[in-house]
Amino acid sequence: MSDCDVMRESMPLLLTESLDPARREITHQHIERCAQCGAEWSGYRDTWRTLGDLPEVEVPASAKARFLSSIGEVEAPVVAFRPFRPRAKRPYVQWLTQAAAVVVIAGGSYLIGHHSTPIQIVPTPATVSAPYSIAESRVLPASAISPDIEGRPDIQNVSFVDSNVNNDDIGISFDITSHVTVRGRPTDKSMVRLMRYVLESEARTSPSRSRAIDWVRTTYSRPGNANPEIADALATVLRNDTHEGVRIKAVETLNRMPGGVSSDTREALIQALKSDPNPSVRIKAVEALATLARNGATFDSATVDTLRQKAVQGDENVYVRVKAAEALSSIHP
């Protein structure tokens, strides 16, 4: 049995909050990673909510009488025969993810019969929600929060707030750590901005900034994906990162996406060529500038002067001098 089969068998118990904490967390993590299981879980939840909105239906007296007769029982006045409505806390063996009529054993001894008119489950219309905002802090009304807490988010630094003594509103303030997966095209503005933030803030995130740059090089060096914002983020890394290996990777990635390089990025390459203490970084920087020149980039007089100085600088690495001369020969007058 595959992992997906196991997780889908757990979904009914997850729906009714009947899984133990460890199993619940494993199931949520799998749903976040697996698109097919995520879609099936959405179907479970949507159908469950729809069932909860159905009106209560009285069991027809004739159906009830036929059932009692078939099991040899006589209706007693003390028996309270309650129609079924789904409850979030009650576990059941099997659930339907498609809109359909539901027959459930209730009360231990009585089986609810069919209504003469089939129950029609009409999915509730989708609501348009505000875009998900990635922010350091925010204040939300309780009406904007789903009452369902999924998985086991890490909630810390809790404080209770009564911000307005003139009404009964209360507040709960906390920090939360949760797992979010963002999917989209590499050229989507939201994806570009998120990737730029990850690159520029990698010192506080995981995996390492070096791995993040590897992923950016694979994704944004493809034709049509190069983006000036990603290049500017790499330029920031080139200027500020203290690890020469990371700076080298940043320049290498810039060299593979010349179509997305901005004037600010070219300035970062020139600055690295002039003053980076590591010769390997200077070599990669002059290679990137030579690539830009071959692709028709326009260099200002200060950039040209820097390349000329490097081409004849006696104490500079020989390869740097050769590449600086190559860049100069490629610059269109």
Side-chain angles (χ1 to χ4, degrees), residues 4 8 29-40 183:
C4 289
R8 290 175 187 180
Q29 290 178 358
H30 178 86
I31 290 171
E32 290 174 354
R33 293 192 304 266
C34 177
Q36 292 182 341
C37 289
E40 184 149 342
R183 297 186 181 276

Side-chain angles (χ1 to χ4, degrees), residues 220-221 224-228 231 254-262 291-292 295:
Y220 287 95
S221 62
N225 285 355
N227 187 284
L254 286 170
N255 195 19
R256 295 192 184 187
M257 49 184 297
V261 173
S262 65
T291 300
L292 289 174
N295 284 276

Side-chain angles (χ1 to χ4, degrees), residues 168-321:
D168 293 333
D169 290 350
I170 61 171
I172 304 176
S173 177
F174 54 86
D175 297 330
I176 183 169
T177 300
S178 60
H179 187 75
V180 177
T181 300
V182 179
R183 297 186 181 276
R185 297 180 60 82
T187 53
D188 289 347
K189 184 176 181 179
S190 296
M191 189 64 72
V192 170
R193 291 288 172 84
L194 179 59
M195 196 63 243
R196 178 173 184 171
Y197 181 80
V198 168
L199 282 171
E200 295 179 341
S201 307
E202 191 65 24
R204 295 187 299 168
T205 59
S206 178
S208 67
R209 176 175 276 156
S210 180
R211 274 189 61 191
I213 293 176
D214 287 338
W215 188 86
V216 166
R217 181 167 62 246
T218 300
T219 304
Y220 287 95
S221 62
R222 295 173 185 170
N225 285 355
N227 187 284
E229 287 202 50
I230 298 296
D232 288 347
L234 291 167
T236 300
V237 173
L238 177 58
R239 289 190 185 99
N240 301 326
D241 201 286
T242 58
H243 195 289
E244 60 270 14
V246 172
R247 298 199 304 276
I248 290 172
K249 284 193 173 186
V251 182
E252 287 176 339
T253 304
L254 286 170
N255 195 19
R256 295 192 184 187
M257 49 184 297
V261 173
S262 65
S263 58
D264 182 65
T265 308
R266 289 197 293 271
E267 179 60 33
L269 291 171
I270 285 293
Q271 192 61 39
L273 175 60
K274 289 170 62 176
S275 59
D276 195 285
N278 188 283
S280 296
V281 177
R282 299 198 302 275
I283 288 172
K284 295 299 182 180
V286 76
E287 285 180 346
L289 289 167
T291 300
L292 289 174
R294 287 195 301 270
N295 284 276
T298 302
F299 292 161
D300 58 22
S301 58
T303 300
V304 174
D305 287 344
T306 299
L307 289 171
R308 285 173 180 163
Q309 292 171 10
K310 285 294 178 180
V312 297
Q313 184 176 332
D315 60 348
E316 182 54 273
N317 180 280
V318 174
Y319 188 82
V320 172
R321 291 157 55 188

